[in-house]
Amino acid sequence: MIANTLLLLGISSIVRGQSAPPSTLTGKLPALGWNTWNAYGGNINEAKILAAANQFVSLGLKDVGYQYVNIDDVWANKARDSKTNRIVPDPAKFPNGIKGLADKIHALGLKVGIYSDAGTNTCAGYPGSLGNEDIDAATFNEWGIDYLKYDNCYVPGNWSDASSPPGGDWYNSNSAIRFRRMGAALAAQPRPIQYELCIWGQANVWDWGARVGHSWRMSGDSSATWSYITSIINTNVAHISSTKFYAHNDMDMMEIGNGALTLQEQRTHFAAWAFLKSPILLGTDLSKLSSAQLAIIKNKELLAFNQDPNVGTAAVPFKATSSAPTTSPPEYYSGASSKGTHVFIINTSSSAATKTFTLSNVPGLGTSGNYKIHDMWTGTDLSGTYAATASFSVNVAPHDTVAYLLKKV
Ligand SMILES: *[C@@H]1O[C@H](CO)[C@@H](O)[C@H](O)[C@H]1NC(C)=O
Ligand SMILES: *[C@@H]1O[C@H](CO)[C@@H](O)[C@H](O)[C@H]1NC(C)=O
């Protein structure tokens, strides 16, 4: 009986999916970089991607930590090579292949990402990797790939999930197994490849994502709208305890530079991705960014919070005053960094009320002593000193976010 059970378990783990934990040689901190999709959709080529890589250097983005230059969908031929079964880069778009482009990006001291899909096709109808995980992972390794975004389109019907997963753990769902197969194939490669599960917040990925990849998408695709920003903050906050070193809720690629977001909304977009420790993958034609937009995405103190090597957890909502209302999404967050305790306040509503918090309500701050309040956006201390028992009030512009470090004096 026991032997039979073991035999069954053994067979089922072979048939139903391999597994390997994600590499600890990469992906400890949220990825900082750029991706082609929000900027260009499928209209990509070597020149555009190399231009972005060069702009990382010329605009000072590399200096503040942006590293990944990521190729999204529509880079391949529609058919695999009939002899080798490998995915073939579109020679019109990539005359030097992906390897040739990767070499040039590496020569700039940057890293390169590619895209595939845990189905038979990518979302735009190019070859997917389901059933070809090993050969595709080996190909990406040979090309020098450092990051894989793995999408979720064209899933064959027999891979659909049951309404509840085997054993109550979504790690054993068919969705998770599709992503685990590529994780195992990547783990077998000599090159550490950061692994993004682009699973659109399905199959309770926040419960098992860390066992399979370094980051996982919490939703469908982003849009350059205030409603997307507030809704994804809400979604992320609901599962914020899943974010830690090597494990990041991904709020999707940035929209700064796209659409009609106000400058305040772009500040909130960047600050929230930073303090919730999402990957920050820029998604626009970098040459068109204004100096105000560049100042937002290059803010060193917010980037340092996002990339803190000693603190893996994100900022979390706190009750700012004893009478503070509950809002959706929350407006007041606090979190620790190597520098100390931080407070972030988003003005989400049309309420005219001033934003106020009592210092002793900030988790970890304590109930005694005096504090200076340091503005992370401007890099300067506000005037005055506040006792732990005091309240602090600030006028926040519509849809803007303030970011503070509280320093004991
Ligand atoms: C779905 O069918 C394919 C082709 O027969 C097979 O390789 C795969 O294992 C099946 N998937 C599941 C979850 O049973
Ligand atoms: C926050 O923004 C709203 C508009 O959304 C504005 O009416 C309100 O005055 C702002 N709140 C504060 C405290 O500045």
Side-chain angles (χ1 to χ4, degrees):
M1 184 62 182
I2 289 169
N4 277 348
T5 307
L6 287 177
L7 188 64
L8 280 173
L9 283 172
I11 288 170
S12 85
S13 68
I14 293 163
V15 174
R16 308 225 57 236
Q18 302 113 321
S19 45
S23 170
T24 54
L25 300 175
T26 184
K28 177 180 172 183
L29 303 173
L32 291 183
W34 177 85
N35 170 295
T36 51
W37 189 258
N38 288 354
Y40 301 120
N43 190 11
I44 55 172
N45 57 38
E46 169 167 326
K48 284 177 178 168
I49 295 163
L50 213 46
N54 281 306
Q55 283 148 358
F56 271 44
V57 178
S58 63
L59 297 174
L61 294 165
K62 181 187 172 196
D63 282 345
V64 296
Y66 289 89
Q67 209 179 10
Y68 288 93
V69 178
N70 291 353
I71 305 164
D72 208 287
D73 201 354
V74 195
W75 58 267
N77 280 347
K78 285 256 163 132
R80 288 175 177 268
D81 185 295
S82 57
K83 289 204 186 72
T84 64
N85 197 35
R86 293 195 177 221
I87 306 185
V88 181
D90 181 334
K93 293 174 174 168
F94 298 99
N96 303 297
I98 300 297
K99 172 88 171 76
L101 173 57
D103 288 348
K104 292 178 194 174
I105 293 172
H106 287 147
L108 293 169
L110 300 169
K111 293 184 170 170
V112 58
I114 200 123
Y115 166 99
S116 190
D117 189 284
T120 53
N121 289 99
T122 69
C123 297
Y126 293 80
S129 294
L130 186 65
N132 287 295
E133 293 89 353
D134 291 337
I135 194 165
D136 290 351
T139 302
F140 299 153
N141 175 73
E142 280 169 31
W143 290 346
I145 293 297
D146 304 296
Y147 183 110
L148 174 65
K149 171 179 173 180
Y150 203 46
D151 216 337
N152 196 32
C153 284
Y154 287 97
V155 178
N158 71 323
W159 281 96
S160 64
D161 287 330
S163 56
S164 65
D169 185 352
W170 284 93
Y171 177 73
N172 296 318
S173 65
N174 280 334
S175 285
I177 290 168
R178 287 183 294 111
F179 284 84
R180 283 164 55 185
R181 287 171 62 133
M182 180 53 90
L186 292 174
Q189 305 305 318
R191 214 179 160 79
I193 299 177
Q194 193 167 150
Y195 186 26
E196 171 191 339
L197 319 178
C198 184
I199 189 174
W200 315 335
Q202 293 180 357
N204 288 27
V205 62
W206 35 81
D207 290 339
W208 53 267
R211 288 179 265 171
V212 179
H214 301 95
S215 63
W216 46 88
R217 281 274 303 280
M218 301 295 286
S219 69
D221 284 1
S222 62
S223 63
T225 58
W226 179 244
S227 62
Y228 177 78
I229 291 170
T230 52
S231 89
I232 193 68
I233 290 171
N234 244 340
T235 304
N236 198 348
V237 164
H239 304 286
I240 199 60
S241 61
S242 301
T243 284
K244 48 188 189 281
F245 288 138
Y246 301 102
H248 298 101
N249 291 344
D250 183 344
M251 298 162 78
D252 200 12
M253 300 171 299
M254 305 299 288
E255 297 285 4
I256 289 175
N258 306 330
L261 296 170
T262 67
L263 212 54
Q264 289 72 27
E265 289 167 347
Q266 294 175 66
R267 279 157 54 100
T268 294
H269 182 2
F270 182 76
W273 268 238
F275 72 68
L276 295 173
K277 302 219 169 169
S278 172
I280 298 177
L281 297 169
L282 305 171
T284 200
D285 176 349
L286 299 172
S287 70
K288 300 207 169 115
L289 288 170
S290 69
S291 56
Q293 290 168 323
L294 278 168
I296 293 171
I297 63 176
K298 288 168 68 176
N299 182 280
K300 286 189 181 155
E301 296 197 24
L302 284 158
L303 286 169
F305 187 91
N306 180 265
Q307 297 287 303
D308 198 299
N310 304 308
V311 181
T313 47
V316 295
F318 74 101
K319 193 167 170 62
T321 62
S322 55
S323 60
T326 301
T327 62
S328 176
E331 294 191 300
Y332 297 85
Y333 299 79
S334 75
S337 79
S338 294
K339 288 194 178 150
T341 300
H342 299 255
V343 167
F344 306 93
I345 309 171
I346 307 174
N347 181 2
T348 62
S349 78
S350 54
S351 153
T354 297
K355 301 296 170 197
T356 298
F357 66 92
T358 304
L359 274 69
S360 59
N361 273 31
V362 179
L365 209 61
T367 52
S368 65
N370 293 301
Y371 292 85
K372 291 290 285 182
I373 297 185
H374 174 86
D375 183 338
M376 296 169 73
W377 282 116
T378 62
T380 57
D381 291 350
L382 306 186
S383 63
T385 300
Y386 294 83
T389 49
S391 286
F392 173 82
S393 293
V394 58
N395 217 311
V396 187
H399 294 177
D400 203 356
T401 292
V402 295
Y404 297 130
L405 170 66
L406 307 190
K407 303 194 293 188
K408 198 159 195 172
V409 291

